[in-house]
Amino acid sequence: MSKEYTPANIWTMDSENGGQWASINRPDSGTRHQHDLPVGKQPLQLHSLATPNGQKVTIMLEELLAKGVTEAEYDAYLINIGEGDQFSSGFVDINPNSKIPALVDHSGESPIRIFESASILLYLAEKFGHFLPSNIAARTETMNWLFWLQGSAPYLGGGFGHFYAYAPEKFEYPINRFTMETKRQLDVLDKQLANNEYIAGDEYSIADMAIWPWYGSLVLGNIYDAAEFLDVSSYTHVQRWAKQISQRSAVKRGQIVNRTWGEEWEQLAERHSAADIDDVLKKQP
């Protein structure tokens, strides 16, 4: 490193610390501006962005619809986290932690708010009875891997992804530290998938939906531009699984919802019906 950092006795915010998210990161929570969120006609109202965490939920919703669960119809509204939409009064009412995705279920007598992606996946699985085994052993294994993802992904995203791709300067120590952990996690997945078709066993589940947008996207070269650096081709079982999941119609549909970058057939800022996705996918050559 160019110089050693000596922490102050009491930390204070440096507004000039740089990096992609410097303009919105603050040490306090809560509302920064007043704005009511729109409410559409569908039973489920999603407010999100097509980051890996956002894709988990839209993939789940599209998988439910593919199974004929019409009650899983949803409106998906864009939350532009780079512009600070997550700090609006309406969004903070749904998620006081100001992180996407956030969901409101209007199908009952009173609206129910659900935040944190794993909580949303579990809520939808239990509500509609799909993608979470009823057998106690299989259910527990699925939950093991769902919570593995919740504990592991911050090392990949906030650790490796931040210091490798987003930090204003590249420093050897944090990149090495989080590269080692990311590769260890990939090895954990590779060994699990050597003996299982899907993450938690023989059944496709919310564990796959949670893990694929992060680690599947990583080994397919779709996030952080780090495939060569991480030698992702060496994780052959993760590669097999990632490619298999990527070919699912619901995954192809769900990953473009609330996306505003990429090719024109990969972008759908808002989704209100199946036809919205159909129209975008038709643009692909």
Side-chain angles (χ1 to χ4, degrees), residues 175-185:
I175 291 176
N176 280 347
R177 166 68 180 88
F178 291 111
T179 297
M180 184 178 297
E181 177 60 14
T182 296
K183 288 182 70 64
R184 189 194 69 81
Q185 293 172 357

Side-chain angles (χ1 to χ4, degrees), residues 72-116:
E73 271 293 351
Y74 67 104
D75 292 293
Y77 292 97
L78 179 69
I79 297 295
N80 189 332
I81 61 175
E83 298 296 324
D85 292 352
Q86 68 274 33
F87 302 109
S88 73
S89 56
F91 192 85
V92 172
D93 284 345
I94 301 174
N95 185 356
N97 195 39
S98 293
K99 301 291 184 181
I100 62 95
L103 182 72
V104 182
D105 184 353
H106 290 270
S107 64
E109 293 184 4
S110 300
I112 298 174
R113 74 175 186 180
I114 315 100
F115 61 89
E116 291 296 328

Side-chain angles (χ1 to χ4, degrees), residues 38-52:
V39 179
K41 297 179 180 180
Q42 305 295 0
L44 301 174
Q45 299 291 299
L46 178 66
H47 301 274
S48 190
L49 182 70
T51 64

Side-chain angles (χ1 to χ4, degrees), residues 183-198:
K183 288 182 70 64
R184 189 194 69 81
Q185 293 172 357
L186 287 169
D187 191 54
V188 169
L189 290 175
D190 204 57
K191 288 172 178 172
Q192 174 67 7
L193 288 164
N195 300 307
N196 297 278
E197 182 176 4
Y198 298 107

Side-chain angles (χ1 to χ4, degrees), residues 232-251:
V232 297
S233 62
S234 65
Y235 303 100
T236 56
H237 304 294
V238 181
Q239 285 280 342
R240 184 272 305 164
W241 167 81
K243 292 173 183 177
Q244 180 178 348
I245 300 298
S246 72
Q247 294 305 305
R248 295 180 68 91
S249 176
V251 172

Side-chain angles (χ1 to χ4, degrees), residues 53 75 96 122 128 130 180 193 218 222 237 251 257 265 282:
N53 282 334
D75 292 293
L122 181 58
F128 296 116
H130 292 288
M180 184 178 297
L193 288 164
L218 182 70
N222 295 331
H237 304 294
V251 172
V257 177
W265 57 86
K282 288 176 183 176

